Amino acid sequence: MNLETMRYKDIQIAEVWEDIRHYRPLVYQLTNMVAANFQANISLAAGASPLMSINAEEASFLASRADSILINTGAPCDESIRSIKEILPVIRKEKKPLVLDPVGYGASPLRISLVEEILRSEAVTTVKGNRGEMGLLGGEEGTVQGVDGYNCKDLEKALSNIVSSYGVVAVATGKEDSVAIPVPPSCFFLVLGGGSPLLPAITASGCAVGSLIAACSAVTADYGLAAITALVAVSLASEKAAGRENVYGPGTFGNVFIDEVSSLVKSDFYGYEERLNRKEEWRE
């Protein structure tokens, strides 16, 4: 396939964002108690309709009615694990978009086992984590402390391994965001710059990225485009928030960041294409 045909234009990104506002997709989120409130607010700010629940008695019902689903492993418990196992067959059968955020992958044997079981289900369309999590998940050296991931020795190789093993879009967030998109029999890479250094200073900023990817995945079948749209939106909104006079640190930044996500319009995305650095390297 010609790489030129795979270039994502800023107009495409803007249209996905507008479609969230237009269709108001229902995004069912199995997430953790630390991040749930912030993720719900970010989802609402983007225009989506968030539904937050880990109750296993309703999990399959909710998954079958949602437009997309997010699984976040930030605080696994018996109930959330049961819910996850209930919904995976439903998602696979109904071909719903599923975003997996493997929070804390590598922090405990439980999380490692759970994340790998979810990926083996063949229900996941996108997996998004920090550099340390994605490095470990891709079989490369990565640094994880608790739920924070700091580095990866060979991130590009790790993402390529994830894509080839599971056929998913693989996203690693950090100072630069990296995206690997399957194009059988291989994949191609994008690196996105921008964003505010205040993002990692607030709890659940990474989890919020997962929520936005899920919202975008509900309105386009191009899950690579969905991931890029969410990442661009976060970069734009965080930069705008950090530049506001009423932002004095992480606390005020978090609230204003929600405001700026809510304020994003199509024209904000125009011109962002120049900040997409496509890596023209293929791995067989």
Side-chain angles (χ1 to χ4, degrees):
M1 180 176 293
N2 188 333
L3 277 174
E4 190 64 29
T5 66
M6 299 303 300
R7 186 189 298 273
Y8 289 113
K9 302 292 186 181
D10 48 21
I11 184 64
Q12 294 174 278
I13 297 169
E15 287 173 352
V16 170
W17 191 255
E18 281 294 291
D19 282 344
I20 299 174
R21 305 287 174 85
H22 178 75
Y23 292 107
R24 195 169 173 76
L26 178 64
V27 183
Y28 173 33
Q29 304 186 48
L30 276 154
T31 189
N32 69 79
M33 70 255 186
V34 177
N37 181 70
F38 192 70
Q39 289 178 268
N41 283 331
I42 286 292
S43 300
L44 288 168
S49 178
L51 198 166
M52 327 297 283
S53 174
I54 62 168
N55 190 321
E57 296 301 321
E58 63 179 359
S60 294
F61 179 86
L62 297 179
S64 67
R65 282 154 180 77
D67 296 300
S68 65
I69 300 95
L70 169 73
I71 294 176
N72 175 302
T73 60
C77 63
D78 290 345
E79 188 74 5
S80 65
I81 292 172
R82 183 181 160 206
S83 295
I84 289 168
K85 293 183 178 183
E86 288 283 337
I87 67 173
L88 289 175
V90 175
I91 296 169
R92 185 173 60 247
K93 179 181 177 181
E94 299 187 12
K95 301 188 185 318
K96 300 286 183 78
L98 169 61
V99 177
L100 171 62
D101 191 344
V103 177
Y105 180 84
S108 71
L110 172 64
R111 294 183 196 233
I112 292 172
S113 175
L114 177 61
V115 167
E116 292 179 356
E117 180 179 353
I118 295 168
L119 284 167
R120 286 195 303 269
S121 73
E122 300 181 350
V124 178
T125 51
T126 303
V127 57
K128 170 257 130 200
N130 60 44
R131 294 173 65 90
E133 292 160 349
M134 298 301 281
L136 291 174
L137 187 56
E140 295 298 309
E141 183 178 330
T143 304
V144 174
Q145 180 176 322
V147 297
D148 295 322
Y150 299 104
N151 204 358
C152 174
K153 187 174 182 180
D154 191 340
L155 182 61
E156 191 170 297
K157 185 177 179 182
L159 295 184
S160 178
N161 289 342
I162 294 168
V163 171
S164 63
S165 295
Y166 303 109
V168 297
V169 173
V171 179
T173 56
K175 290 183 179 179
E176 290 181 327
D177 300 322
S178 300
V179 184
I181 301 171
V183 183
S186 188
C187 62
F188 76 100
F189 298 86
L190 286 161
V191 177
L192 293 85
S196 168
L198 283 172
L199 279 171
I202 59 173
T203 299
S205 61
C207 298
V209 175
S211 295
L212 291 181
I213 293 175
C216 293
S217 297
V219 298
T220 176
D222 186 335
Y223 301 126
L225 176 60
I228 291 166
T229 301
L231 293 169
V232 170
V234 169
S235 290
L236 289 171
S238 66
E239 289 171 1
K240 288 173 176 284
R244 290 266 292 266
E245 291 184 359
N246 59 333
V247 170
Y248 308 104
T252 47
F253 171 79
N255 288 328
V256 175
F257 175 58
I258 296 172
D259 292 341
E260 293 295 351
V261 170
S262 178
S263 299
L264 288 176
V265 296
K266 285 182 71 172
S267 58
D268 289 319
F269 294 86
Y270 299 154
Y272 203 89
E273 185 184 345
E274 64 190 34
R275 296 166 74 174
L276 300 181
N277 173 30
R278 189 184 63 232
K279 288 205 166 187
E280 299 191 16
E281 179 175 339
W282 291 69
R283 295 185 182 274
E284 299 299 336

